[in-house]
Amino acid sequence: METVNEKIETIISQYPIIQYAFCSTQELTFSDKVRSICQTECERYGKSWSCPPGVGSVEECRQKCLSYGHVLLYTTQAEVTDSSIFAEALASRTSHEEITREILKDLKDAEISCFALSGDSCQICEQCAYPAACRHPDIAIPCIESYGILVVNLTDKYNIEFYTDMHTVTWFGLIFYQE
């Protein structure tokens, strides 16, 4: 009988996943300092359901993540003319978000209980309804940093590369699941 990890590997093998690792949610590092970056540096803070404070406190996010036993850390990549041009790098996230939504759909079709976090805040709607109810709660994906998660600890442990070259943007995703 196929394990959940084997089912997930079969599903993600259909997508342009560059690197991945299966981890325990106990390996995640949560920090209010990560969240403070959202508040001080992100224009979406307080304007999106996928960002703080809309996602809840770091402790609430931590509890949600830890309610799942396992997490898949994965990356996709996008080619750009110059990764240091912030607007161009940010615009490249669309394909990562689409891939994440498709993987989630496939996992749910395989009856795997899961939810995802991604490398940037949700951009499904041109203008988020926040603070009114989210228009697409079934497909909206919050940002990893909005949950206060320090991804670099996992990338170091599992040798997942953050940077390849100036023409490539690496996007990270986390999919939480039960075995």
Side-chain angles (χ1 to χ4, degrees):
M1 185 168 165
E2 193 175 40
T3 68
V4 173
N5 286 1
E6 290 169 338
K7 286 180 186 178
I8 292 172
E9 281 186 316
T10 298
I11 289 168
I12 67 172
S13 71
Q14 301 169 55
Y15 296 94
I17 302 298
I18 304 301
Q19 297 176 86
Y20 69 94
F22 292 105
C23 315
S24 164
T25 55
Q26 297 297 319
E27 296 174 84
L28 295 171
T29 301
F30 295 85
S31 170
D32 286 316
K33 288 181 182 178
V34 174
R35 172 69 70 85
S36 69
I37 293 169
C38 296
Q39 188 169 5
T40 59
E41 296 182 24
C42 183
E43 64 187 30
R44 307 232 343 135
Y45 182 88
K47 298 176 183 171
S48 170
W49 282 111
S50 66
C51 296
V55 294
S57 70
V58 171
E59 182 56 27
E60 290 169 325
C61 293
R62 184 176 138 336
Q63 290 303 320
K64 180 176 181 178
C65 294
L66 295 179
S67 73
Y68 290 80
H70 307 277
V71 61
L72 171 71
L73 165 66
Y74 63 97
T75 65
T76 64
Q77 291 182 335
E79 290 186 28
V80 293
T81 56
D82 184 346
S83 62
S84 69
I85 300 172
F86 186 71
E88 183 181 2
L90 198 55
S92 74
R93 78 176 176 274
T94 304
S95 64
H96 176 78
E97 300 299 320
E98 290 170 3
I99 290 165
T100 299
R101 280 190 196 82
E102 289 297 317
I103 291 171
L104 279 177
K105 181 186 173 306
D106 290 348
L107 292 173
K108 289 175 181 178
D109 288 349
E111 299 181 356
I112 297 171
S113 174
C114 60
F115 86 96
L117 299 175
S118 194
D120 196 22
S121 68
C122 177
Q123 297 282 328
I124 296 170
C125 303
E126 194 170 313
Q127 176 70 40
C128 183
Y130 185 86
C134 177
R135 294 180 202 102
H136 305 286
D138 53 329
I139 59 172
I141 302 172
C143 178
I144 294 168
E145 288 80 9
S146 75
Y147 269 53
I149 297 173
L150 188 62
V151 175
V152 71
N153 291 359
L154 285 181
T155 62
D156 287 347
K157 181 175 183 175
Y158 291 99
N159 297 314
I160 306 277
E161 294 177 13
F162 245 95
Y163 177 79
T164 49
D165 61 46
M166 70 177 280
H167 301 292
T168 306
V169 176
T170 300
W171 289 100
F172 288 84
L174 297 173
I175 295 178
F176 295 81
Y177 64 97
Q178 299 289 7
E179 267 196 348

